Amino acid sequence: SPPLKIAVIGTCFSRSMFRSDDFFNPGYKNLFTVPLTFFHSSIISLTSNRLEDPDFLLTSDLTSDQVFRYIEVEFLKNIKERIFSAGIDYLVIDNYSDSTLETVEMKENCFITYNKYFAESIFKRKFSNKKIFTPGELKHIDKYRQAVRKLYSTLQELNLDKRVILVGGRLSIFKNNSELWHSKMNWVKNTNRNWDVYDSIFLEEFPDAKYIDMRSTNWISDVNPPITGGASPSHYQS
C-alpha cells in the first residue's frame, strides 16, 4: 500500500519523527509522506482571521525560502484549503507553540504567533501597542479553546476529525543521563504545566483524537542534537 499522507501542525515534537537522518527515523518514508507542515504556529493564529498586510511580501527576512514556507500561513490563514489540496490521511499535532509562544492580536480576532521567525524579523515593529495573549493566562486559554473548536469543525468538514493524533510532548528536565537543566527548570516546569492544560482542552474538544502521552519526565535531552536550536529541553536523544 502507498505511504500514508501526514500533515503536521506543530514543532520538532511532531515533525522530527518524519526525518530520514540516522538520528531520527531513516525508514519512515516507506510508511509515511509529509506533504504539509505548519511549523511553530499557534492554533489560535491558524484559525483566526486573515491578515491583509502586503508588507510581509516585502520584508526580506520573512521572504527567504526557509522562513516564507512557514510564515505565509500566518497571514493567509489558508489552512483548510491547504489540508484539502494535500489530500492527507492523518493530522499529527502538538501544543508546544500554544504552551510557550505569545500571540499578538493584530486586529479583532486576527492573531500572529510570536515565533522565532517574527522574533528575528524587522516586521515585529508592527507589534508595538498590540494586545498580547500569553500562554497560561485565562484569556489565552479561553481563546485557545475557541480556536480548537474552530479547528474541529474545519476538520469535520474535511472528514478528518477522527484522524487526528495529538503528540503530548513535554520538555525534558534532564540534559544527558542524570544532569538536570537547573538553569532552565522554571521555564521547563511552567511550560509543562501549561502544556497539560492545553492538551486536556484539546482532548475534550476532539473526542476521537489519539493521544501519544509523553507526560512522564524520563525523556532525556541531547546536548548535541543535529537540529536547529541545538541543546534544549525540547530536543530529545535519538
Side-chain angles (χ1 to χ4, degrees), residues 7 12 18 21 32 39 42 45 57 72 74-75 95 99 108 125 129 149 162 172 174 178 188 217 231:
C12 50
F18 304 110
D21 344 26
F32 306 108
F39 198 56
S42 158
S45 163
L57 294 168
E72 187 187 31
E74 291 279 339
F75 294 88
N95 274 317
S99 303
E108 191 174 359
R125 68 186 187 279
N129 306 321
R149 283 182 180 159
K162 295 180 169 58
S172 172
F174 299 103
S178 54
V188 167
T217 53

Side-chain angles (χ1 to χ4, degrees), residues 36-155:
L36 185 60
T37 300
F38 299 109
F39 198 56
H40 284 256
S41 282
S42 158
I43 293 173
I44 293 173
S45 163
L46 291 176
T47 58
S48 72
N49 293 340
R50 205 179 154 124
L51 180 58
E52 307 289 351
D53 186 344
D55 273 9
F56 86 98
L57 294 168
L58 305 169
T59 308
S60 59
D61 54 24
L62 292 182
T63 50
S64 75
D65 290 350
Q66 285 302 313
V67 176
F68 188 78
R69 59 187 176 144
Y70 300 133
I71 280 301
E72 187 187 31
V73 70
E74 291 279 339
F75 294 88
L76 302 186
K77 315 296 189 193
N78 56 347
I79 170 172
K80 182 180 178 183
E81 297 77 3
R82 290 181 65 186
I83 291 173
F84 177 74
S85 63
I88 64 156
D89 298 302
Y90 287 92
L91 204 65
V92 177
I93 297 174
D94 74 72
N95 274 317
Y96 176 80
S97 295
D98 283 286
S99 303
T100 58
L101 301 175
E102 295 168 323
T103 48
V104 184
E105 190 167 33
M106 301 302 285
K107 54 183 203 256
E108 191 174 359
N109 199 29
C110 171
F111 290 88
I112 273 189
T113 315
Y114 191 61
N115 58 28
K116 61 182 179 173
Y117 304 114
F118 286 111
E120 293 166 5
S121 170
I122 57 172
F123 190 87
K124 70 171 180 277
R125 68 186 187 279
K126 296 197 173 211
F127 299 164
S128 63
N129 306 321
K130 298 285 193 255
K131 204 190 224 176
I132 305 290
F133 285 64
T134 303
E137 288 179 350
L138 278 177
K139 68 177 184 178
H140 186 280
I141 291 169
D142 288 345
K143 194 59 77 177
Y144 173 81
R145 188 183 288 274
Q146 292 166 28
V148 170
R149 283 182 180 159
K150 200 165 169 188
L151 180 64
Y152 184 73
S153 66
T154 297
L155 295 180

Side-chain angles (χ1 to χ4, degrees), residues 8-9 22 43 54 58 76 80 148 156 160 183 188 204 210:
V8 170
I9 300 178
D22 286 346
I43 293 173
L58 305 169
L76 302 186
K80 182 180 178 183
V148 170
Q156 271 187 314
L160 288 168
S183 62
V188 167
E204 282 167 23
K210 298 286 183 280

Side-chain angles (χ1 to χ4, degrees), residues 18-32:
F18 304 110
R19 282 183 55 165
S20 46
D21 344 26
D22 286 346
F23 187 88
F24 295 106
N25 213 341
Y28 92 86
K29 286 182 178 173
N30 299 327
L31 302 169
F32 306 108

